[in-house]
Amino acid sequence: MILSMAWRNARRNLRRSSLTAATVALGSCLLIIGLSWLSGVLQDIVQSSIQAHGQVRLTTARFAQKEALFPIEENLPETASIIQTLQKSPSVRIVYPRINMPVAASVRGEELGEVFGLLQGAPLEYFRDELEFERYILHGSFPKASSEALLGQSLARDMDVRVGEEAIFLGTTQDGSLAPIKAKIAGILETGNSLFDKQAYMEIEPVRWMADIPDGATELLIYGTSADSTRLQESVASLEITLTSMAEAYTATGEEATLEIRAWNQREPFRSLFQIVSFLNACLASIIIFVTALGVLNTMMMSVLERRKEIGILRAMGMDRRSIASLFLFEAFFISTAGGCIGVTLGSYIALEMGKYGVDLGNATMNAGNSLPLNSVFYPSWTPELALLTFALGIVMALFGSLVPIWEALRVQPVEAFR
């Protein structure tokens, strides 16, 4: 009986019910669009970060503390035995040594010091298989020899270099001495990623020569057989005793070095970024729920005030407070369900259509730091789970907005209503 009465009341004043449903629909539509964009941005950063920095990274603790200064002196002098040990773990798919260092670049005999960038040395398989650079070759081809280099299009533009020309990169050894290397530009990349497009890439051996680390690297990038980076970190950390015994000689000062094994999402700035995105999600949902709830409160309060006499009659006929509350609660539920369905459907359509084109930020992402990879084009990420979540939040909007009117209805006394 309560359900049939609530359904009848929801249809009694179609203009008011439609206004309430429209409020819920608008809130649900805006919410799913906003959450889709935040989810898309976060997924893009996650994917790019894992590509660029590995699921888990192994370095010396001193290197991790001073990473922003590129302290190549805090390196792993010998990596082959560590890689061999790591690959014994069934959770580890592959391990790449890498050296990332700042360099001054020049071409055609120009004076060094005009252009600065980052030179990344790693196995060519890392650039081809993990970063998938072959897909983004704008000019030229993928390097085939250790004497060849790839350039991001932003760095290539600053250097004014063309494919086939010889470039000079001036870096430093681990003891601070200047060390230049020459490289033929095999290809120029255009990935649309702020981090990838402003670096140079070479096979690790010549970069090891430049840094004077013949058999080592500054970091080891570890990729697992599954997408669970935290579990991979735990698996690698279980090898800590063996790795610690290997690390006794890994120091530039004569002190015993310790190794740091950390998943990408537990490092800065990614850990803080996750907290910021979670906070933005919560703020967006809270603001939209609050505004929508105010609209529902307004229309539901009008309904209660118009039906005070009816409420008094129902109370006089024996309907208790719980039944009165249920009556208005179900009425709000029916209206919000209709509005939520419309809003989620419309918002999902808009999010999916926007996902076909994305939003191009152009060169705005080029101002990002050297550790945060950002693509210049962002796409919303719509999922059925997100649509269900938004629909549930739409119901919460209406039910939250109906609490005050329900409380007001419960305060109606039969005698006062008749008077």
Side-chain angles (χ1 to χ4, degrees), residues 26 74 77 95 103 151 158 170 192 194 204 236 358-359:
L26 178 61
E74 304 295 348
V95 182
V103 293
L151 291 184
D158 292 341
L170 178 64
S194 62
I204 193 171
V236 173
V359 172

Side-chain angles (χ1 to χ4, degrees), residues 140-161:
S141 61
F142 192 80
K144 298 179 177 63
S146 61
S147 60
E148 296 181 332
L150 276 174
L151 291 184
Q153 58 90 18
S154 178
L155 179 59
R157 183 176 59 249
D158 292 341
M159 293 175 60
D160 189 25
V161 67

Side-chain angles (χ1 to χ4, degrees), residues 105-108 110 115-116 151 154-162 165-169 185 200:
S106 70
V107 66
R108 294 187 294 274
E110 295 177 358
V115 179
F116 295 91
L151 291 184
S154 178
L155 179 59
R157 183 176 59 249
D158 292 341
M159 293 175 60
D160 189 25
V161 67
R162 290 180 291 273
E165 291 188 307
E166 190 176 69
I168 298 177
F169 299 104
I185 305 304

Side-chain angles (χ1 to χ4, degrees), residues 11-24:
R11 295 180 299 162
R12 177 186 295 181
N13 192 327
L14 289 178
R15 179 179 298 178
R16 183 172 58 223
S17 297
S18 298
L19 179 61
T20 307
T23 304
V24 176

